[in-house]
DNA sequence: GTCTATAGTGGGATAGAC
DNA sequence: GTCTATCCCACTATAGAC
């Protein structure tokens, strides 16, 4: 069974996409690292966009789960905390994957607008839930701000010199996000 | 005096870079909108990178000013608030410009690593000042989080349906950023 | 499944006439 | 200052042999 090669391609592509950016990564570069030629990649993935879709799936699924969970929750402070924690978990679990969207949003849009739209829509829905029912403008802004704080999970590793454990990151960022909402 | 054409090119490029992304915007596209040919652009700017540099200058300068100001301040809660407010002002004043860096970081890195490095360095220095002297890991994370909140100034306009006045944005985001630092 | 070879496209940049 | 014409290059993607 040669899901092996398919997986290897996916892994290498994920790493390059998230560090160099989607558009800045050529299929030649990926092929080289895997130990194949460009043409052989096309046997496994029908296009660069198809490769991106395969890579991105877990993140979309993860967020969808959080969204489903949130939809069935009343908007209490405890539930807000819980939902934020779950969003943070998904982000930490898919760190490099989120990096693709932060490094080269424009490239993703150009290659696969529908993928990007899915992410934006889910971000909107999560922020909407966080803002609560019939939110004021300020509450909406604070909800967006809280999600931005969670995004700091990723830039953080680039900014900080020392390694930070996932547990500390989880604890501090969750509290910080709640603080951004003044909760 | 034909600084007119130069300025027109700069304006059009700024708009396209910040909406489509740097790499995704071709010089042909810019030229078309200005009403010139690609070749004519090169009379005014020697390369695509030179065009980017010219556009980006005000933002770099603005942040540098904030940094100079911060360096001479003691790290008190009032000063932190003041510095955050100034950072926010620079961001609001250069909204579309910051958009370039958020839409296509990878493209900017590829085209002009030094520009990107300047931005990162300044972000680091501002975050370092915000974190205070001899900061714990948690304090560093919170400082980064606070800066991320200010970045929400930009994504906000994309997420929200209604227009938000700059004054409300300033007020809410500043308080939210302070909240992220638990101040 | 992997290769070599190549088609086809679009980008940045230059030469030289006007 | 602006044009037309062109160069050169890198990329995605395909054709067809092995």
């Amino acid at each position: 069974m040669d899901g092996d090669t398919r997986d290897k391609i996916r892994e290498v592509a994920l790493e390059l996409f998230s560090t160099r950016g989607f558009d800045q990564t050529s299929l030649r570069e990926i092929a080289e690292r895997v130990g194949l030629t460009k043409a052989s990649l096309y046997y496994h993935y029908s296009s660069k966009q198809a490769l991106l879709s395969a890579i991105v799936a877990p993140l979309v699924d993860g967020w969808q789960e959080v969204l489903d969970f949130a939809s069935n929750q009343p908007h209490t402070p405890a539930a807000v905390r819980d939902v934020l924690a779950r969003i943070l978990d998904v982000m930490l679990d898919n760190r490099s994957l989120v990096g693709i969207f932060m490094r080269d949003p424009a490239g993703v849009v150009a290659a696969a607008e529908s993928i990007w739209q899915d992410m934006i829509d889910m971000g909107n829905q999560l922020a909407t839930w966080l803002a609560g029912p019939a939110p004021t403008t300020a509450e909406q802004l604070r909800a967006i701000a809280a999600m931005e704080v969670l995004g700091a999970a990723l830039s953080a590793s680039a900014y900080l010199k020392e390694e930070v454990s996932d547990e500390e990151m989880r604890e501090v960022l969750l509290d910080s996000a709640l603080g951004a909402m003044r909760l």
Side-chain angles (χ1 to χ4, degrees), chain A:
Chain A
M1 63 195 186
D2 239 11
D4 267 14
T5 306
R6 249 187 97 89
D7 291 349
K8 189 82 190 294
I9 293 171
R10 215 180 6 79
E11 280 162 27
V12 171
L14 170 57
E15 197 203 320
L16 288 176
F17 286 167
S18 61
T19 52
R20 282 178 183 31
F22 177 73
D23 257 27
Q24 281 68 31
T25 303
S26 71
L27 294 180
R28 185 191 53 73
E29 223 173 338
I30 297 171
E32 224 161 54
R33 288 226 191 173
V34 178
L36 287 177
T37 60
K38 232 181 2 170
S40 300
L41 290 190
Y42 280 90
Y43 175 82
H44 297 282
Y45 293 95
S46 63
S47 70
K48 196 182 181 185
Q49 176 182 337
L51 181 51
L52 177 64
S53 298
I55 289 176
V56 138
L59 181 59
V60 177
D61 292 348
W63 280 14
Q64 187 61 55
E65 276 175 39
V66 177
L67 190 56
D68 291 343
F69 171 81
S71 305
N72 294 324
Q73 293 294 110
H75 189 266
T76 64
V80 169
R81 184 192 184 86
D82 197 356
V83 168
L84 282 175
R86 285 170 192 245
I87 295 173
L88 183 52
D89 279 343
V90 172
M91 283 186 160
L92 288 172
D93 286 347
N94 297 279
R95 227 181 280 226
S96 55
L97 222 165
V98 182
I100 296 180
F101 292 93
M102 306 205 48
R103 291 290 287 177
D104 187 14
V108 175
V109 172
E113 184 142 19
S114 65
I115 291 179
W116 179 255
Q117 201 54 54
D118 286 353
M119 304 287 297
I120 292 297
D121 286 348
M122 260 181 320
N124 273 335
Q125 292 179 61
L126 285 169
T128 299
W129 185 88
L130 286 173
T136 63
T137 307
E139 284 168 336
Q140 293 179 62
L141 279 175
R142 286 178 190 283
I144 292 170
M147 291 199 61
E148 294 281 329
V149 169
L150 300 187
L154 300 133
S155 33
S157 40
Y159 284 112
L160 294 179
K161 277 131 203 164
E162 328 110 41
E163 290 291 316
V164 185
S165 70
D166 276 15
E167 301 87 68
E168 181 164 20
M169 197 107 106
R170 218 181 301 266
E171 192 185 330
V172 174
L173 288 180
L174 179 54
D175 183 65
S176 184
L178 285 166
M181 296 181 75
R182 286 297 184 201
L183 288 178

